[in-house]
Amino acid sequence: MTVLTDALADPRSSVRLQAVMAAGTTPDAGDLDVLVEQCAVEPDFFVRDMLTWALTRHPSDDVVARVLPELTRPEAQARSQALHTLSKVGDPAAWPSVRPLLADQDDEVLRAAWRTAVALVPDDERAELARTLAVQLGVGPRERRLSLSRALVGLGEETVAPVLAAAANRGSGAVRDHVADTERLLHDPDAASALALERARREVALGRTRSAKG
């Protein structure tokens, strides 16, 4: 058991965070497998984010080669963290492996796949990606919708505007509402917080929220 492995087994998140920070500050190729494995099981958000940072401190080719197999693991966290890491590495060579996860059944993985796809998609596939993402308009709770809007906005107005118009023309009321929110975000990047609050108030008014007791 290495020092890093031992530290990552500590129940205190502060200890794990410090260990990952140290591993990223002084990258060691021997730590790569340990860091990737921890991504799949780490319960603390801040430690997971630091794990991604530590991985990006290694040569990108090494990281991509080690992370790609994580995309096919049954654990949703392994897939979502692998996607997050790939989005930060930014190697377009990972795009073919990322594309299938745009149909993942787990919401967290799906949202990570949207973000990663926007970061890695080749220019000649951007319009196709916009159409693929637009199928999800109007689906799910506000957090999911906002994530999708941000992904669509990330593709740029020239790419996404005609796709949004087409979706609004043939979609339901929920789709049209989501298109309107996305267009608002497209023209005002600072509108995300206002959109989230507005959507929450709208859902409360419509009686869509549930009590903590379910």
Side-chain angles (χ1 to χ4, degrees):
M1 180 177 287
T2 67
V3 173
L4 178 59
T5 302
D6 191 40
L8 291 178
D10 195 290
R12 295 166 294 179
S13 61
S14 59
V15 172
R16 300 195 305 277
L17 184 65
Q18 288 294 329
V20 176
M21 287 177 63
T25 301
T26 310
D28 182 337
D31 292 337
L32 194 55
D33 284 346
V34 176
L35 294 170
V36 172
E37 284 296 329
Q38 187 68 17
C39 285
V41 298
E42 173 55 52
D44 186 89
F45 169 82
F46 295 104
V47 179
R48 291 199 302 271
D49 207 39
M50 191 61 67
L51 283 163
T52 290
W53 170 77
L55 286 168
T56 63
R57 300 276 293 162
H58 290 262
S60 60
D61 287 350
D62 294 343
V63 176
V64 171
R66 180 57 186 83
V67 167
L68 284 182
E70 299 292 295
L71 297 178
T72 59
R73 284 182 57 169
E75 301 91 346
Q77 183 171 305
R79 302 196 302 278
S80 64
Q81 282 300 120
L83 286 164
H84 181 57
T85 299
L86 290 170
S87 74
K88 297 301 183 183
V89 173
D91 187 346
W95 165 242
S97 298
V98 168
R99 185 165 42 198
L101 278 82
L102 292 171
D104 201 278
Q105 297 303 304
D106 182 271
D107 260 15
E108 287 299 318
V109 176
L110 192 60
R111 291 165 64 184
W114 293 340
R115 295 190 298 270
T116 309
V118 171
L120 302 182
V121 63
D123 287 344
D124 61 355
E125 295 187 46
R126 294 176 75 82
E128 180 184 351
L129 176 59
R131 291 190 292 270
T132 298
L133 297 183
V135 173
Q136 301 285 342
L137 285 164
V139 178
R142 61 183 179 272
E143 294 85 0
R144 174 186 165 125
R145 294 189 185 196
L146 185 55
S147 291
L148 181 62
S149 292
R150 284 171 167 153
L152 285 164
V153 167
L155 291 171
E157 183 173 4
E158 183 177 347
T159 298
V160 80
V163 174
L164 292 175
N169 286 337
R170 66 173 184 272
S172 64
V175 170
R176 291 193 294 273
D177 285 347
H178 196 174
V179 167
D181 286 347
T182 304
E183 289 176 334
R184 181 176 168 187
L185 188 60
L186 189 65
H187 298 109
D188 180 9
D190 296 327
S193 297
L195 284 173
L197 180 60
E198 180 180 318
R199 177 67 68 181
R201 287 172 172 165
R202 193 182 309 165
E203 291 187 2
V204 169
L206 293 173
R208 290 177 181 168
T209 56
R210 297 181 296 176
S211 69
K213 296 181 180 179

